Amino acid sequence: MLVAIKDIKIKRRVRKDLGNLEDLKDSLRTYGLLNPVTINSKYELIAGQRRLEAAKALGWTSINANI
């Protein structure tokens, strides 16, 4: 399902350092999003913070997500 990035809420996360997102951004530019992020029914992010941040950095306004 396609979800507006602005609607996804990021709660407290285990991973603090997202690392270098350049390779991931290059992959998203070249191949698109191969593995959707995971959110719950309240649009809270469950998995995929690096993918979400890379998509934001590329200027994407929506992203594929599994609920």
Side-chain angles (χ1 to χ4, degrees):
M1 125 184 250
L2 202 57
V3 175
I5 288 177
K6 65 177 180 57
D7 293 339
I8 298 175
K9 300 167 197 76
I10 300 175
K11 298 290 184 176
R12 196 174 133 230
R13 309 295 298 170
V14 173
R15 176 185 274 185
K16 304 294 182 204
D17 180 19
L18 297 178
N20 186 352
L21 296 177
E22 291 307 313
D23 288 341
L24 182 53
K25 288 179 358 186
D26 289 343
S27 175
L28 288 178
R29 269 190 220 102
T30 304
Y31 304 109
L33 184 66
L34 300 177
N35 188 19
V37 298
T38 303
I39 58 176
N40 64 17
S41 60
K42 298 177 184 176
Y43 283 51
E44 296 169 339
L45 186 68
I46 303 298
Q49 186 175 10
R50 292 187 79 242
R51 286 170 276 160
L52 182 64
E53 294 302 327
K56 283 182 189 178
L58 291 173
W60 292 13
T61 57
S62 59
I63 194 166
N64 281 320
N66 292 328
I67 296 179

